[in-house]
Amino acid sequence: MTEVYHYVVLRLAPDFLRGEALNVGIVLLPLDKQKSPSVIMMAPLNKLRAVDATWDTERLRKWARNIETIVQMNSDSQKIVDSLGSFGFCDPKAIGMFTATSASEVTQKISEVKVLYVSNKTSIERQKREKKTRLQTALRDQFKKMQVLGEAVDDLAEHLVVPNVPVPEYPELKTDFLYKNGVYRVTQTLDYRVSPDSLHNKLSEACVKSTAAELALKSYGSDTLRLAVLDIPEEFRDATDNHIDLLLSQGFEVFDFNDPNRMLRFYELGAPPPKGLALN
Amino acid sequence: MDLPLARLSRETLACIDGQCKRMYAPSNKRWGYSPYRHPLRALMRNKLNSTYIPNVYPHIVSLRPANGGVNNLGFGTDTQNQEYLLKAGAKTCIAEFVGAGLCAALNIEHCQPKIVTRTNLSGSKDYLFGSVLEESLLKFDMRNISDWQTVLAMMPKNPFFTQVLAVDLSLGNDDRHQDNWLVRAPAKTSFQHEMLAMDFSNSWPNCMPPHKPHKHPSPNTWNFVKHWENLGITFDHEHFRSICAKISGLDSTWITATLDPLVGVWLTHLDQQQISGWWDANWQAHIVDVINALEIDGDWQ
């Protein structure tokens, strides 16, 4: 059943004289009277401390407790909003609303509200930025020199190599490089130039990348070429044998980034002929 | 056939005036006893298909509030995923419809007004004004001079701002600041942008009578006009007069028809009659004042 939830954004002015108010959370007001209103604090302490360094966890907790007291003192939603508004803890006219059919949808909508009103936007954008390994950067640079590197998915139609393409229907999964000429050519990379402590993570990365390629085949066709480029330092060669076995068993052709002859073969398969400088 | 409420209202009033009794009289076999055969019922059935009927207005299912938004409640989305800029308050909502109606009558680009509903804190439905946010609207930083200059350079050289000024001064709108505009992306066949006027919340009949041009409580409209020169906007006196002449030519049937969809939502028939009555008695004299204010006081720009 679809349920209606209202909310007001909680505003905290860390310094009375400066009067700069920050959005720090919400009060969620379910329309269903069986459910209680709840105070949901969302802002990290450092958001307040950027304005006034005297704020600490205890002071913020005390502030939130006060909001909870005001909420509990009032019998209905309108009174809660009016009281919070009269103390300057919210804009009583700015009442938000969403509908949800399940508890998980409520959680999701609250996350959206947090992103919209409370989270530091810069940090969200930063999180979205893809981490690139040295191997991926090296391949990008090589494709750029060959003048075959595309930017957007549309560039596939121009027979360019497009980096970081989401797998259709599974946008969380990516193919590191994708190129189409007759058939699709999916390239996944594994960069083993990491500290020995992190080596164990590479097996799961190999699994994820292999799964992504497998799922991509559903959309790109079973004749899609699966290519894997691995950069393995000499000291890890023995430890990574089972990773390579996994990729081979999944239908990948595996290329050693440190073997120039094999890489020439990779560029023949995974990219169009160079338009610019010759291959390194 | 979808009948406008204007016609229904006249029929309703006629009914109240006595025709109804005659139609329902048992001796009148022409209509019989079946209420569904009554012509008013036929109209009521048609009215159910109308967009003016309560409960068929778009219903807001998500509202992102505008903190500190004064008249603006925020952005709402209805069940069909259409987005609106929302406003509350009967007078504000009526003023928005009148402003949009006047722009429409004069072929001035404006936001499309809608009556929408939402579930309020107590769980009942209330009516809001929703300004439809078209998909073709562009992101435009209204406080950035270079954004303004870019958009103005891509607009057709028509006296759009003069026309909107004429509407604002006629309606006593003292709140036409730099934020109250929207930019529509060019259509496929054109490279030119279009600007839309939005926000008539402070206008007549919210302010009754309309503010005199040089007695605006808020300086926003005139402050923006003073800024025109910096943006490269010019005042077209000829068009101003021509638009004012068209505005003064709109009689009270126009305002009555404009208010018709709002009767039963934010207005009673009596309110509607009072507003129309004021228009009948004062509108033309008020427009003469508006024109004179600009002709006599040459220092306004």
Side-chain angles (χ1 to χ4, degrees):
Chain A
M1 196 182 93
T2 304
E3 292 191 53
V4 176
Y5 294 83
H6 292 96
Y7 62 90
V8 284
V9 177
L10 286 170
R11 315 202 75 201
L12 189 160
D15 186 301
F16 165 72
L17 280 179
R18 292 170 69 122
E20 291 166 310
L22 300 170
N23 298 344
V24 292
I26 62 167
V27 175
L28 188 68
L29 305 158
L31 193 59
D32 181 356
K33 300 294 170 205
Q34 308 287 317
K35 294 177 179 166
S36 307
S38 43
V39 177
I40 305 171
M41 294 299 287
M42 296 167 167
L45 186 61
N46 61 13
K47 186 175 178 181
L48 299 178
R49 288 175 62 86
V51 177
D52 181 348
T54 64
W55 278 80
D56 56 21
T57 315
E58 184 47 39
R59 195 172 166 194
L60 183 58
R61 199 176 293 139
K62 198 176 161 190
W63 188 89
R65 267 203 302 271
N66 181 41
I67 301 291
E68 278 163 8
T69 307
I70 294 169
V71 168
Q72 284 158 11
M73 274 165 54
N74 290 284
S75 53
D76 69 55
S77 297
Q78 188 62 58
K79 285 181 183 165
I80 291 171
V81 172
D82 290 343
S83 296
L84 291 170
S86 69
F87 284 110
F89 294 140
C90 74
D91 176 350
K93 285 184 180 171
I95 300 167
M97 186 196 72
F98 61 79
T99 54
T101 50
S102 63
S104 61
E105 199 180 351
V106 174
T107 310
Q108 184 209 326
K109 294 281 169 76
I110 290 171
S111 307
E112 288 169 14
V113 170
K114 181 182 175 183
V115 169
L116 196 60
Y117 289 100
V118 182
S119 298
N120 180 339
K121 286 193 174 173
T122 318
S123 66
I124 296 162
E125 280 159 15
R126 251 185 225 147
Q127 281 171 7
K128 279 183 184 170
R129 263 184 228 158
E130 291 296 328
K131 283 181 185 169
K132 276 183 278 184
T133 62
R134 269 180 293 192
L135 175 58
Q136 284 169 340
T137 306
L139 288 178
R140 268 176 191 252
D141 289 347
Q142 182 58 44
F143 290 138
K144 209 180 272 179
K145 278 183 196 166
M146 293 160 67
Q147 296 184 11
V148 296
L149 184 67
E151 287 178 359
V153 178
D154 292 348
D155 291 336
L156 286 171
E158 306 294 323
H159 302 299
L160 294 176
V161 182
V162 181
N164 210 29
V165 180
V167 173
E169 296 179 35
Y170 304 91
E172 295 298 311
L173 297 173
K174 304 277 169 64
T175 51
D176 288 341
F177 296 96
L178 185 64
Y179 160 60
K180 188 191 176 195
N181 190 2
V183 295
Y184 281 94
R185 293 126 200 264
V186 167
T187 300
Q188 299 291 49
T189 62
L190 283 167
D191 190 342
Y192 288 88
R193 296 199 179 273
V194 291
S195 68
D197 295 345
S198 312
L199 192 60
H200 65 280
N201 292 331
K202 288 291 164 183
L203 183 58
S204 57
E205 190 183 331
C207 291
V208 169
K209 293 206 166 178
S210 152
T211 307
E214 188 68 34
L215 292 169
L217 255 65
K218 280 188 191 172
S219 299
Y220 301 151
S222 56
D223 51 358
T224 300
L225 293 184
R226 279 168 280 181
L227 314 171
V229 179
L230 278 59
D231 184 4
I232 309 170
E234 205 52 51
E235 64 270 26
F236 292 160
R237 294 238 164 219
D238 292 341
T240 55
D241 272 353
N242 56 347
H243 301 195
I244 295 169
D245 290 344
L246 169 81
L247 291 167
L248 290 170
S249 70
Q250 293 292 320
F252 278 89
E253 189 169 343
V254 179
F255 300 88
D256 179 357
F257 184 66
N258 301 300
D259 180 343
N261 290 329
R262 286 293 293 155
M263 284 309 288
L264 275 176
R265 171 77 181 143
F266 165 71
Y267 291 124
E268 278 172 19
L269 290 173
K275 294 174 187 168
L277 297 174
L279 295 172
N280 284 339
Chain B
M1 189 180 71
D2 202 6
L3 286 172
L5 193 63
R7 186 169 163 199
L8 182 76
S9 303
R10 279 196 289 278
E11 293 289 341
T12 310
L13 288 170
C15 206
I16 292 163
D17 283 343
Q19 288 183 31
C20 185
K21 287 176 200 162
R22 181 174 56 78
M23 288 171 179
Y24 267 124
S27 60
N28 189 341
K29 291 185 180 171
R30 187 176 163 204
W31 302 113
Y33 289 101
S34 167
Y36 293 100
R37 296 188 62 196
H38 187 275
L40 188 61
R41 284 287 178 174
L43 281 169
M44 289 300 285
R45 281 203 306 278
N46 284 323
K47 196 186 160 200
L48 289 172
N49 296 325
S50 157
T51 55
Y52 301 147
I53 278 285
N55 301 323
V56 296
Y57 301 114
H59 186 63
I60 299 299
V61 290
S62 157
L63 199 166
R64 291 172 286 140
N67 285 281
V70 196
N71 283 326
N72 296 331
L73 286 183
F75 296 105
T77 309
D78 69 13
T79 47
Q80 305 299 310
N81 231 14
Q82 172 63 54
E83 274 216 303
Y84 306 87
L85 179 65
L86 300 173
K87 299 195 178 202
K91 284 184 172 180
T92 298
C93 298
I94 295 164
E96 287 286 358
F97 265 86
V98 171
L102 194 50
C103 286
L106 301 165
N107 289 324
I108 298 171
E109 291 297 333
H110 62 285
C111 296
Q112 193 192 343
K114 287 267 186 188
I115 300 168
V116 298
T117 57
R118 71 151 170 197
T119 306
N120 63 22
L121 278 175
S122 62
S124 54
K125 275 186 185 175
D126 56 11
Y127 297 106
L128 302 174
F129 163 80
S131 188
V132 175
L133 294 174
E134 305 167 19
E135 282 182 9
S136 58
L137 293 177
L138 293 179
K139 275 191 177 176
F140 168 49
D141 182 357
M142 293 174 278
R143 299 188 178 196
N144 183 312
I145 298 289
S146 103
D147 270 20
W148 265 97
Q149 287 167 340
T150 306
V151 167
L152 290 172
M154 297 180 83
M155 277 179 65
K157 298 287 174 210
N158 66 24
F160 171 73
F161 291 92
T162 300
Q163 292 172 336
V164 177
L165 179 67
V167 171
D168 284 335
L169 295 185
S170 303
L171 294 173
N173 183 13
D174 62 355
D175 198 30
R176 174 71 52 215
H177 50 78
Q178 75 283 339
D179 293 348
N180 280 338
W181 309 88
L182 293 170
V183 179
R184 189 187 279 151
K188 280 182 183 169
T189 51
S190 159
F191 291 103
Q192 290 188 316
H193 287 62
E194 278 180 336
M195 211 163 228
L196 288 77
M198 63 178 232
D199 196 349
F200 291 92
S201 296
N202 285 9
S203 307
W204 183 88
N206 193 355
C207 57
M208 177 70 100
H211 303 303
K212 300 273 183 197
H214 289 302
K215 290 183 179 170
H216 281 184
S218 158
N220 287 346
T221 298
W222 287 114
N223 281 349
F224 183 65
V225 170
K226 284 173 189 165
H227 203 50
W228 278 16
E229 203 176 347
N230 299 330
L231 300 173
I233 301 169
T234 51
F235 177 69
D236 185 328
H237 213 139
E238 197 182 315
H239 259 94
F240 182 80
R241 280 188 178 186
S242 140
I243 288 286
C244 285
K246 282 184 191 167
I247 294 172
S248 75
L250 295 169
D251 63 18
S252 62
T253 51
W254 175 82
I255 189 68
T256 305
T258 302
L259 296 175
D260 260 338
L262 317 182
V263 173
V265 177
W266 295 304
L267 281 172
T268 62
H269 274 299
L270 187 62
D271 297 328
Q272 184 190 29
Q273 283 163 12
Q274 283 175 348
I275 293 171
S276 301
W278 185 92
W279 184 286
D280 242 350
N282 303 294
W283 188 247
Q284 287 201 337
H286 168 67
I287 299 301
V288 171
D289 278 352
V290 168
I291 296 170
N292 283 343
L294 266 72
E295 309 255 324
I296 294 166
D297 180 1
D299 197 28
W300 61 272
Q301 198 173 5

